Amino acid sequence: MLKSLRSQLTTIWTILQHSFSRCETVQYPEQKPYLAPRYRGRIVLTTDPDGDERCVACNLCAVACPVDCIALQQGTREDGRWYPEFFRINFSRCIMCGMCEEACPTNAIQLTPDFEMCEYDRQNMVYEKEHLQIDGPGKYHDYNFYRVSGLAIKGKDKGEAQNEAQPIDVKSLLP
Amino acid sequence: MPVITIDNQEYSVKEGDNLLQACLGLGLDLPYFCWHPDMGSIGACRQCAVVQYQNTEDYRAGSRGRIVMGCMTQVTDGAIFSLNGDKASEFRKTIVESLMLNHPHDCPVCAEGGECHLQDMTVMTGHRDRHYRGKKNTHRNQYLGPLIHHEMNRCITCYRCTRYYNNYAGGKDLAAMAAHDHVYFGRHQEGVLESEFAGNLVEVCPTGVFTDKSLVNDYSRKWDLQSAPSVCTHCAVGCNTLPGERYGKLKRVHNRYNDEVNGYFLCDRGRFGAKFVNSDKRINNPGLRDEHGRYNIIDPHQALHQLVEACQGDNNIAAIGSPRASVEANFLLKTLAGEQHYSPGFNAQEQSLAQLALSLQQHSAATIPSIKDIECADAIFILGEDLTHSAPRIALALRQSVRNKAYALAAELKLQPWQDAAVRNLAQDQRSPLFVAAVTDTRLDDIAEQCHHLAPDDIARLGYAVAEQISGKANASDEPANTIAQALLSAQRPLIIAGSSCGNAAIMQAAAAIADALALRKNENAGNSMLCLTLPEANSLGQAMLSPNEAPSIEALAERAYKIDTLIVLENDLFRRAPAAVVDKLLQSVTTLIVLDSLETPTLATSQLALPAASVAESEGTIVSLEGRAQRYFPVSECQGERRASWAWLLACLKELGHPEAANIHRFDDITLACSAAQPMLKGITLAAPDHFYRNAGVKIPRQPQRYSGRTAMRANVSVHEPKQTEDDETALAYTMEGLNRHQPGSLLPFVWSPGWNSNQSLHKFQTETGGPLKGGTAGKRLLDNRQNNNNQQKNSQQAVATTAPAAFQASAGQWLLVPRQRIFGSDELSSYSDNLAELLSDASIEINSADASLLQVKNGDGLSLGENLACLRVVINNTIPQGCAAYSVGIAGTFNLTLGQRVSLQKASDWQRPKQADVIASDGGAHV
Amino acid sequence: MSDLNTIIFGLVLIGGAVGGAAVLTWFERRLLGIWQDRLGPNRLGPFGILQVLADMLKLLSKDDWVPPFADKVVFVFAPTAIVVAMLLGFAVVPFSPDLMIIDINIGLLFFLGMTSLAVYSVLLGGLASNNKYALLGGLRSAAQMVSYEVFMGLSLMGVVMLSGSFSLRDIVEAQSDMWFFIPQFLGLYVFLIAGIAESHRLPFDLPEAEHELTAGFHTEYGGMKFAMFMLGEYLGLMLISCMIVTLFFGGWLGPWLPPVVWFFLKVFIVICFFILLRCAIPRPRYDQLMSLGWKYMLPLALLNLLVTGAIALSMEG
């Protein structure tokens, strides 16, 4: 009883001391807090260094998403690239966990330090590809999936990706 | 049973199995690539390495074991193995690393990703980093046709593709080329893969070298596909399929394992033909034709009202069912129209043949074989069928049955059948005897001992001659009948195959006569003879069972068309079945034509009221395959638009009418029950699959895999408020990812997946043993199971079979006998609506031999007009066709006025335009590939 | 004071108490903010004081809704009861030697009676809501108040013994030598705890424990009726503070400054202390609350009574 009384008095004293400590919160809309580049806010789709969309519609973000708020459909472009025919994030379900970014093999999907996404109408929280796509590589400046991947696309033939030898001539017996 | 020790644990395993099979059967995870349960072992990939110990002391001492390949090691009593000991797992990890040296880092853009055996095995072995610093080999891809996508960089050279394509499916145009690390799997030049079973490469390839092209261009991962157990509706074999749906579209069809039917493989018609479900010709709304002849969309209540009104009162109703619709829908239609006014939807010829096939199978002393039984046959005689095109999966099975000779030879040397390379080397070209008697060349000619190209009546005569040889009534010098008879007599499990393709009843009767003669002559220790009769459509046999012999055919209804006020046509395009003159007469005489169909067929286009029916992928139903197996298919996705299952339209109509028989029918299962009660022959259909009350661990079976994604975003563009998941009150499956996909009956298996096994190789987790039946039992219920009561029937078997052979075929001047040329792509109605097959469909043609051609003064590519404006077709000269016969492409537009077995005059068409040579597609859409 | 003056003072008192309670809502939130290292409501008006107005407007403009499943009469009556009881309690508070509504010789008893009435409000509110959370909240509140009432009264008997009167004015005047918090330290301690429990404020707000009971007895309440409950709670807080000052800290007594100022200054400090308690001490479990009451507080109060009585007797003797 006495021990707990002492503990309570200590608590009260500690709290009282806080009368003189500095305020942790800031006057938000006027004073913006610093958000690190890796802050997990609004999700964007980025482009590769050459300016083409990075997303290859592999569906890994969608399957990683714990609230299943990403839906997309793959399509194949004329130049051989895979791309999302549509890419939809239902931000009213999104919990900004960043799993999609973790899962993305092409660095296409990235979380940004923007968290100010209030809407009066929930329907406006549904973002389609045109709302998500930005014109820049985001946090990862140099990565271009198709330069690494063995899939041939227009402008990058077989054997022209990183660490690839020229295509094999099947009819030759030379080693 | 031998007892082996694996990692200190004793297991009793099946005699003669290899260790890999045994491990997988025991539920142990052992990685592998080149082994396939149906293709045996060759020990090529070195992935299933385990350590074998000499004896217990050896094992205890450690480090004395030796590495052996699981797939090449037969289990012997007392053998001691370790899966992880003595660096076996290290070895396997290194092997994966070396197999992956040239793997191209393109999983995100690979259509195999997420169901890739290579991914699974890589994770299973724990390989991660590529230590080799050299460059990766690359390969150029080939164009392999509109169905298969080729991406050679991904290859790990397991040789499964060529082993399947060449050795198993008998293809000639896919091979391993070049040497050492340059090995390339492809064709000698770009072009469409010739085999009708090439689609199985998609499932056989453990990685993404061969993928489904239509899926690649509209891709969804396996985990995103909602699927349900389904049955292929493109021929009468009744292969089990797993269609996958996403965003309301059918994305792909995979094989659903059924040990007695299709096993691990499908034909390309079944695999790629089901895309008709996505066709633009699907109808979504009921339509009512106004006085100007235009269709107006009406809502379903109005449509139902119209339907009821047309059936009410004193209206004389007649109904035409369909052999491509389910038993249940046909049963309700029959109930609605009454027995005398219900036609099963055959033309007169089809109907008599279907009834004949049914009665022959019922009364035959021979066994009705499943495909598994067919694979066991050691002497085969095919009469009048080009099976690769009329019942493709049976043709693939026959390619396995001719190998029984090889297995017999192997058994003498105590070789196990899974010793694939050894068995093949041993047998070389020795095969079990297969005899083909057909009107044209067939795709099985290459494995046949003898091919006879005869007119249909002559085929029947040959059949009767063989039957007489077998029963010893004829003299032995009659060739070739004697050779065939001797081969069949010396076989343990002889198989006779005939069918309705030629439109000739005598052929089927002759086949039955042979089978019966064999059954009667059989000595005690031999197996029974087998009789397989093919039919054209998925539910042909079911329709024959549902309707009596004397049910009106389409022609019969046309005769009395003036008496009909309302004609209801269920999922049937009448113009495909009877000459246009007959159908026009029928359709124009009736006051109201109501057509229920999923596609906009010519018949539907003439209707007053069109009702949108759900396709096989959106509805449930039972169909009866050619072996009499009743199988249930289940909706893969909800009906879109105002489509409803045919049975649902008809049931609603019956309810509105207050029909007494519909009083106790409230849902799908009640129809099945009522049908099985009303029709003794269909008694077993309720056992085809569990009813809607079935629960697995207390809940329904999920159609969606556990990783199904996008649930809260898929429909968010329509409304951000997610609707409740659709309830499925009719089946034991649910449109959800919650539930247990284990331990249920085999007929309710919506997908195969097991932790760590994302690819279709996870199937072994669902089998009682590798290659054995599913743990939940084989899907389907055989309605014609005569294996038990053969002995009772032998006495009276002869009565159904006509014993007299028809007269020999005589070519008559100016008149040609029409015989069929079946095509795997095109002869079937539904698959021809599938847009990914469009490129492979060819125009209708007529084949005659060169003597007839010179008589008619036509060359290849000229036009021939048949009869009096019956048809005008392109000429193909084919010398295998007997003189006096003309083979036309069955089921392809332009030939519907023709009837099989008809004699028509041929005349060179004067105003025929030679078809322009189609541009040869040289590359797969661009120089970059 | 004349009758008219009394009436005017009464009205001023009611207005002041209600207004004070309203301001207190804002003040409490600001103070909590300071102690929790954050800002609290600071947007409306100077220091955010107009937040009070905004809240009031909001509550006034809310739909005056009675759940269809509730007992309507009781549901409406319940929130008024607490406000009336608490306001009546203020009648006996001596703000200064001559500033009080009524000086009755049983002032202390009257106060105890009025605070006990408040339990009806909570209990009836909980019962009338016809909601499981509200019912549980109401039941807890009844048990809690009945338990703590006992030693709340007992704890004050020491004060009565020392001053020899139930009249609050007499009690204050009796403290001119020494404020009672020194001899009656135990009494103060027990009364403090009982007081918090009586006004069911944190940490003893079990009747409305958000984590378990949604909002306890006022789950179904909204708009003005909810505001009445809140008003009652803050009035209770103020009343208890006034009583603590009157009984233990010498009421208006103090040098230099006018007595009223002294009184309010002391009350203000006690209120701050109450808010500090809310800020610092977590809510106990329900069984802990009951065992604290019956096993520790009651014996403590009795002990205090015994010792005080003995001392008082010995001093007299």
Side-chain angles (χ1 to χ4, degrees):
Chain A
M1 174 89 187
L2 284 176
K3 205 174 145 195
S4 63
L5 187 69
R6 186 169 159 261
S7 145
Q8 309 233 320
L9 289 174
T10 321
T11 314
I12 292 170
W13 177 241
T14 316
I15 298 292
L16 200 59
Q17 280 175 326
H18 275 266
S19 315
F20 310 104
S21 59
R22 214 172 64 83
C23 199
E24 293 288 343
T25 53
V26 294
Q27 293 280 59
Y28 159 59
E30 295 87 15
Q31 269 176 286
K32 301 276 188 193
Y34 169 72
L35 297 177
R38 287 172 51 173
Y39 185 86
R40 298 196 308 259
R42 180 168 58 87
I43 298 170
V44 295
L45 291 173
T46 58
T47 59
D48 62 27
D50 302 337
D52 228 326
E53 67 182 306
R54 256 181 181 153
C55 178
V56 298
C58 70
N59 279 288
L60 287 182
C61 50
V63 74
C65 181
V67 291
D68 281 351
C69 74
I70 305 179
L72 66 152
Q73 171 60 57
Q74 176 266 8
T76 313
R77 254 169 37 179
E78 291 273 296
D79 59 5
R81 284 167 175 257
W82 279 27
Y83 79 107
E85 275 174 10
F86 70 83
F87 194 107
R88 186 181 307 132
I89 299 183
N90 181 355
F91 275 111
S92 72
R93 288 284 187 194
C94 180
I95 55 169
M96 308 292 172
C97 66
M99 296 281 220
C100 47
E101 185 173 359
E102 291 272 324
C104 184
T106 67
N107 289 337
I109 195 165
Q110 294 180 16
L111 274 71
T112 63
D114 173 19
F115 58 89
E116 294 164 315
M117 311 177 64
C118 300
E119 296 285 352
Y120 284 106
D121 184 359
R122 238 183 99 193
Q123 190 65 49
N124 294 338
M125 298 293 277
V126 179
Y127 280 42
E128 297 288 342
K129 190 167 117 181
E130 57 267 31
H131 310 128
L132 296 166
Q133 185 74 50
I134 63 163
D135 189 15
K139 285 173 272 188
Y140 309 97
H141 303 290
D142 301 323
Y143 187 72
N144 185 336
F145 171 74
Y146 283 107
R147 281 189 213 146
V148 183
S149 160
L151 192 82
I153 55 167
K154 193 175 176 185
K156 193 216 74 177
D157 200 359
K158 287 269 149 98
E160 290 175 7
Q162 276 174 25
N163 207 20
E164 276 192 350
Q166 280 304 304
I168 284 165
D169 178 8
V170 181
K171 287 168 184 154
S172 163
L173 281 176
L174 294 173
Chain B
M1 289 216 314
V3 174
I4 59 169
T5 310
I6 302 173
D7 287 324
N8 278 332
Q9 182 89 35
E10 286 196 351
Y11 301 97
S12 61
V13 293
K14 198 174 143 199
E15 181 88 54
D17 270 4
N18 60 50
L19 181 64
L20 175 59
Q21 267 179 315
C23 283
L24 297 177
L26 293 168
L28 303 171
D29 287 345
L30 182 57
Y32 63 88
F33 288 115
C34 67
W35 174 83
H36 186 282
D38 245 15
M39 298 192 291
S41 324
I42 51 165
C45 69
R46 317 312 281 170
Q47 189 58 67
C48 58
V50 296
V51 176
Q52 183 169 17
Y53 295 93
Q54 205 64 42
N55 48 44
T56 328
E57 293 80 59
D58 191 10
Y59 181 57
R60 292 226 183 85
S63 77
R64 299 275 310 275
R66 60 183 195 277
I67 280 187
V68 296
M69 294 307 127
C71 71
M72 300 301 284
T73 309
Q74 191 176 338
V75 289
T76 46
D77 200 26
I80 303 169
F81 300 101
S82 170
L83 300 192
N84 300 318
D86 278 351
K87 299 194 173 172
S89 51
E90 184 75 30
F91 179 87
R92 295 195 294 262
K93 188 173 166 183
T94 322
I95 291 293
V96 164
E97 182 173 351
S98 53
L99 290 177
M100 296 260 287
L101 276 189
N102 299 315
H103 208 68
H105 189 88
D106 64 353
C107 292
V109 290
C110 174
E112 192 83 358
E115 53 175 327
C116 177
H117 190 55
L118 178 59
Q119 279 179 344
D120 290 349
M121 296 301 105
T122 308
V123 172
M124 195 177 284
T125 52
H127 161 65
R128 207 189 73 141
D129 296 316
R130 179 181 190 259
H131 294 97
Y132 176 60
R133 298 289 173 93
K135 292 193 161 183
K136 291 178 178 178
N137 283 347
T138 58
H139 296 276
R140 295 226 171 265
N141 302 332
Q142 285 183 330
Y143 170 77
L144 297 177
L147 303 177
I148 307 281
H149 180 84
H150 191 222
E151 182 63 50
M152 187 54 210
N153 276 0
R154 296 171 186 149
C155 182
I156 55 163
T157 60
C158 70
Y159 281 75
R160 259 189 177 191
C161 53
T162 50
R163 288 176 62 219
Y164 165 74
Y165 195 86
N166 302 333
N167 298 348
Y168 193 91
K172 305 264 186 289
D173 59 332
L174 183 84
M177 288 174 264
H180 52 91
D181 62 340
H182 289 184
V183 174
Y184 186 92
F185 296 92
R187 297 184 87 241
H188 62 293
Q189 63 177 43
E190 296 199 328
V192 182
L193 282 172
E194 284 166 8
S195 173
E196 292 79 3
F197 307 97
N200 291 315
L201 288 174
V202 173
E203 287 189 68
V204 164
C205 178
T207 174
V209 178
F210 300 99
T211 45
D212 182 339
K213 194 173 262 180
S214 61
L215 182 65
V216 169
N217 293 324
D218 188 26
Y219 184 62
S220 285
R221 298 267 174 219
K222 179 188 181 185
W223 62 65
D224 280 342
L225 294 176
Q226 176 170 282
S227 52
S230 191
V231 180
C232 179
T233 52
H234 303 296
C235 79
V237 176
C239 295
N240 293 193
T241 58
L242 281 180
E245 176 266 358
R246 176 87 174 166
Y247 301 123
K249 271 166 90 179
L250 184 77
K251 293 281 185 172
R252 66 121 183 253
V253 170
H254 255 205
N255 178 64
R256 177 161 68 98
Y257 181 80
N258 184 326
D259 66 311
E260 289 186 12
V261 188
N262 46 316
Y264 293 87
F265 304 111
L266 293 177
C267 73
D268 285 2
R269 184 198 278 179
R271 183 179 296 272
F272 300 109
K275 284 279 181 85
F276 78 89
V277 171
N278 304 337
S279 164
D280 300 338
K281 295 215 159 187
R282 288 297 302 277
I283 53 172
N284 292 323
N285 295 86
L288 186 67
R289 190 192 287 276
D290 63 16
E291 57 269 28
H292 307 297
R294 280 195 304 262
Y295 277 107
N296 294 316
I297 288 180
I298 55 175
D299 76 56
H301 302 289
Q302 279 176 295
L304 185 62
H305 181 70
Q306 293 280 346
L307 176 64
V308 171
E309 209 162 66
C311 298
Q312 243 163 1
D314 302 332
N315 283 352
N316 283 321
I317 316 171
I320 298 180
S322 169
R324 69 167 157 92
S326 65
V327 169
E328 286 82 2
N330 278 307
F331 171 73
L332 285 186
L333 188 66
K334 188 177 167 186
T335 311
L336 177 65
E339 181 142 2
Q340 316 85 293
H341 304 296
Y342 169 75
S343 158
F346 296 117
N347 63 32
Q349 186 181 60
E350 286 171 335
Q351 183 160 345
S352 64
L353 290 171
Q355 292 292 352
L356 178 65
L358 176 61
S359 84
L360 288 177
Q361 296 196 42
Q362 275 178 310
H363 298 110
S364 174
T367 307
I368 312 304
S370 64
I371 288 183
K372 191 184 185 185
D373 300 330
I374 290 176
E375 285 183 355
C376 297
D378 52 357
I380 304 113
F381 185 23
I382 305 171
L383 293 98
E385 286 286 321
D386 185 0
L387 287 169
T388 313
H389 295 286
S390 64
R393 186 61 185 81
I394 290 184
L396 187 62
L398 288 177
R399 288 192 182 272
Q400 315 320 309
S401 50
V402 294
R403 296 199 62 228
N404 281 319
K405 172 86 170 178
Y407 295 133
L409 292 170
E412 284 170 23
L413 292 179
K414 298 212 164 74
L415 269 177
Q416 293 299 333
W418 46 261
Q419 299 268 21
D420 194 52
V423 174
R424 281 183 197 279
N425 265 330
L426 175 67
Q428 297 293 336
D429 277 343
Q430 299 180 71
R431 298 191 188 91
S432 300
L434 172 83
F435 302 94
V436 179
V439 284
T440 61
D441 54 325
T442 74
R443 292 281 279 152
L444 287 174
D445 287 358
D446 59 330
I447 53 165
E449 193 168 305
Q450 290 182 3
C451 300
H452 302 285
H453 300 133
L454 305 167
D457 281 347
D458 290 343
I459 296 172
R461 285 175 68 82
L462 175 61
Y464 279 112
V466 172
E468 280 179 10
Q469 288 284 348
I470 290 167
S471 36
K473 290 180 195 158
N475 96 47
S477 63
D478 183 12
E479 287 299 336
N482 186 37
T483 318
I484 299 172
Q486 290 313 317
L488 292 174
L489 275 173
S490 54
Q492 296 285 305
R493 296 171 302 277
L495 167 68
I496 317 298
I497 302 182
S500 63
S501 286
C502 284
N504 190 315
I507 293 181
M508 283 206 274
Q509 282 173 328
I514 304 172
D516 281 347
L518 280 169
L520 291 172
R521 277 286 302 262
K522 270 290 153 203
N523 49 16
E524 287 301 306
N525 51 6
N528 201 358
S529 65
M530 296 183 275
L531 171 66
C532 174
L533 298 175
T534 70
L535 286 165
E537 280 161 285
N539 195 25
S540 289
L541 198 65
Q543 280 297 77
M545 288 174 168
L546 184 69
S547 320
N549 224 337
E550 57 276 7
S553 62
I554 292 170
E555 287 93 333
L557 276 186
E559 282 307 310
R560 58 181 216 224
Y562 59 91
K563 287 191 209 155
I564 302 171
D565 296 321
T566 303
L567 178 66
I568 306 172
V569 178
L570 169 71
E571 300 185 36
N572 202 338
D573 182 9
L574 305 180
F575 288 100
R576 290 179 66 89
R577 299 195 185 268
V582 177
V583 179
D584 282 338
K585 181 181 164 196
L586 173 64
L587 300 187
Q588 278 160 17
S589 323
V590 299
T591 323
T592 317
L593 174 66
I594 299 169
V595 179
L596 245 161
D597 210 337
S598 54
L599 291 156
E600 196 191 329
T601 62
T603 308
L604 185 128
T606 59
S607 65
Q608 271 84 52
L609 176 64
L611 299 174
S615 69
V616 63
E618 299 153 328
S619 62
E620 47 284 278
T622 312
I623 51 179
V624 183
S625 74
L626 56 82
E627 54 160 322
R629 184 184 297 272
Q631 301 189 102
R632 186 82 38 85
Y633 57 83
F634 294 95
V636 178
S637 58
E638 306 94 315
C639 287
Q640 297 193 346
E642 298 298 347
R643 296 173 195 163
R644 281 203 228 167
S646 299
W647 65 260
W649 281 114
L650 294 168
L651 181 59
C653 176
L654 284 170
K655 287 266 178 203
E656 287 286 316
L657 287 169
H659 199 283
E661 292 215 25
N664 292 322
I665 299 180
H666 304 293
R667 47 167 28 104
F668 176 79
D669 286 334
D670 300 336
I671 311 173
T672 313
L673 209 61
C675 180
S676 75
Q679 184 49 258
M681 225 181 297
L682 290 167
K683 194 160 178 292
I685 59 169
T686 49
L687 303 173
D691 62 13
H692 73 282
F693 289 115
Y694 178 81
R695 292 290 181 280
N696 198 7
V699 285
K700 289 189 166 201
I701 294 158
R703 284 181 171 88
Q704 301 163 353
Q706 288 88 328
R707 292 178 187 157
Y708 194 76
S709 79
R711 215 162 25 87
T712 64
M714 286 171 81
R715 296 182 200 86
N717 55 333
V718 181
S719 166
V720 73
H721 306 283
E722 290 123 30
K724 191 182 167 201
Q725 270 155 331
T726 319
E727 301 250 352
D728 185 352
D729 295 330
E730 306 294 342
T731 73
L733 296 152
Y735 296 108
T736 162
M737 49 211 263
E738 292 158 23
L740 186 66
N741 183 30
R742 276 284 163 100
H743 318 305
Q744 74 266 43
S747 50
L748 284 178
L749 186 68
F751 54 87
V752 288
W753 179 86
S754 188
W757 296 81
N758 299 301
S759 74
N760 56 0
Q761 306 291 318
S762 55
L763 182 62
H764 68 79
K765 300 276 185 196
F766 294 84
Q767 293 169 324
T768 49
E769 52 176 338
T770 51
L774 291 172
K775 281 179 181 157
T778 304
K781 165 73 184 165
R782 283 173 63 107
L783 304 180
L784 284 176
D785 215 339
N786 59 356
R787 278 178 256 205
Q788 286 83 34
N789 53 8
N790 268 328
N791 298 331
N792 313 339
Q793 290 193 344
Q794 278 190 6
K795 304 285 182 288
N796 53 15
S797 62
Q798 290 292 349
Q799 63 200 25
V801 180
T803 45
T804 48
F809 171 69
Q810 297 290 328
S812 54
Q815 293 281 308
W816 276 262
L817 181 75
L818 290 179
V819 293
R821 166 58 89 184
Q822 301 264 4
R823 287 193 193 149
I824 187 164
F825 303 124
S827 289
D828 166 60
E829 179 187 357
L830 293 179
S831 62
S832 58
Y833 285 97
S834 175
D835 55 0
N836 53 344
L837 294 183
E839 234 177 275
L840 295 170
L841 300 179
S842 49
D843 59 335
S845 64
I846 185 152
E847 297 178 28
I848 49 175
N849 75 14
S850 50
D852 285 337
S854 57
L855 194 72
L856 291 162
Q857 294 174 326
V858 288
K859 297 190 295 294
N860 254 334
D862 279 345
L864 264 183
S865 78
L866 285 76
E868 283 170 19
N869 292 329
L870 283 178
C872 193
L873 304 172
R874 178 171 55 89
V875 171
V876 174
I877 293 174
N878 180 347
N879 280 329
T880 59
I881 293 181
Q883 206 166 355
C885 293
Y888 72 96
S889 11
V890 178
I892 293 176
T895 64
F896 298 146
N897 280 338
L898 306 175
T899 313
L900 286 168
Q902 192 183 8
R903 280 179 191 255
V904 295
S905 60
L906 297 182
Q907 212 174 352
K908 185 173 179 179
S910 45
D911 53 349
W912 174 260
Q913 296 272 317
R914 257 173 177 271
K916 228 179 85 192
Q917 196 66 41
D919 293 331
V920 175
I921 300 141
S923 71
D924 191 8
H928 58 274
V929 180
Chain C
M1 279 201 289
S2 68
D3 286 351
L4 184 67
N5 280 352
T6 312
I7 289 170
I8 292 172
F9 177 62
L11 289 176
V12 169
L13 183 60
I14 289 175
V18 171
V23 172
L24 201 52
T25 59
W26 163 80
F27 178 70
E28 178 174 26
R29 284 156 72 189
R30 287 297 317 241
L31 211 54
L32 283 176
I34 288 169
W35 283 326
Q36 292 171 352
D37 290 353
R38 56 187 177 83
L39 287 165
N42 65 344
R43 290 269 155 182
L44 286 169
F47 304 106
I49 184 101
L50 292 184
Q51 185 70 38
V52 177
L53 209 65
D55 285 347
M56 215 136 67
L57 277 176
K58 186 194 82 170
L59 286 171
L60 277 171
S61 59
K62 282 214 165 181
D63 187 9
D64 193 27
W65 186 72
V66 179
F69 44 81
D71 185 333
K72 294 197 177 47
V73 177
V74 182
F75 188 82
V76 174
F77 166 73
T80 52
I82 189 167
V83 177
V84 170
M86 286 304 167
L87 281 175
L88 281 174
F90 275 100
V92 294
V93 175
F95 296 94
S96 74
D98 44 18
L99 204 60
M100 59 198 296
I101 306 272
I102 186 168
D103 177 22
I104 44 174
N105 55 5
I106 51 158
L108 195 57
L109 286 183
F110 182 80
F111 156 75
L112 288 174
M114 284 305 118
T115 50
S116 310
L117 273 182
V119 73
Y120 283 103
S121 172
V122 174
L123 186 60
L124 290 177
L127 285 173
S129 294
N130 199 6
N131 166 315
K132 58 188 169 191
Y133 296 121
L135 178 66
L136 281 172
L139 289 177
R140 277 186 182 189
S141 143
Q144 183 178 329
M145 288 201 165
V146 166
S147 310
Y148 278 68
E149 198 98 305
V150 176
F151 49 86
M152 187 180 189
L154 283 176
S155 69
L156 296 181
M157 290 309 112
V159 174
V160 175
M161 278 183 195
L162 289 183
S163 61
S165 168
F166 276 103
S167 163
L168 291 171
R169 182 200 283 266
D170 295 351
I171 290 175
V172 173
E173 277 164 359
Q175 297 180 60
S176 51
D177 301 330
M178 181 170 54
W179 293 355
F180 282 162
F181 80 93
I182 299 165
Q184 281 300 308
F185 181 77
L186 268 180
L188 170 64
Y189 178 65
V190 175
F191 182 73
L192 195 70
I193 288 175
I196 303 170
E198 278 291 296
S199 60
H200 45 81
R201 278 186 54 82
L202 271 154
F204 292 146
D205 66 337
L206 279 95
E208 48 185 295
E210 291 91 350
H211 303 110
E212 307 131 55
L213 295 182
T214 315
F217 63 90
H218 60 65
T219 303
E220 296 292 348
Y221 281 89
M224 266 322 280
K225 289 194 281 294
F226 170 75
M228 299 274 250
F229 270 125
M230 292 316 283
L231 184 64
E233 184 183 325
Y234 282 97
L235 285 175
L237 173 65
M238 282 159 61
L239 184 59
I240 293 287
S241 303
C242 288
M243 292 317 287
I244 287 174
V245 168
T246 308
L247 297 174
F248 295 99
F249 291 96
W252 64 77
L253 297 174
W256 311 306
L257 292 171
V260 178
V261 177
W262 268 116
F263 186 83
F264 282 113
L265 202 64
K266 288 176 187 171
V267 168
F268 176 75
I269 290 167
V270 175
I271 288 178
C272 287
F273 179 70
F274 271 115
I275 296 173
L276 182 62
L277 280 184
R278 169 177 183 174
C279 193
I281 299 183
R283 180 191 301 132
R285 239 176 25 229
Y286 184 63
D287 61 316
Q288 288 170 335
L289 177 86
M290 294 315 270
S291 72
L292 176 77
W294 291 107
K295 286 190 190 159
Y296 298 104
M297 289 299 141
L298 183 62
L300 220 53
L302 289 171
L303 183 71
N304 178 45
L305 199 61
L306 206 66
V307 172
T308 313
I311 291 171
L313 270 179
S314 67
M315 278 170 74
E316 256 177 45

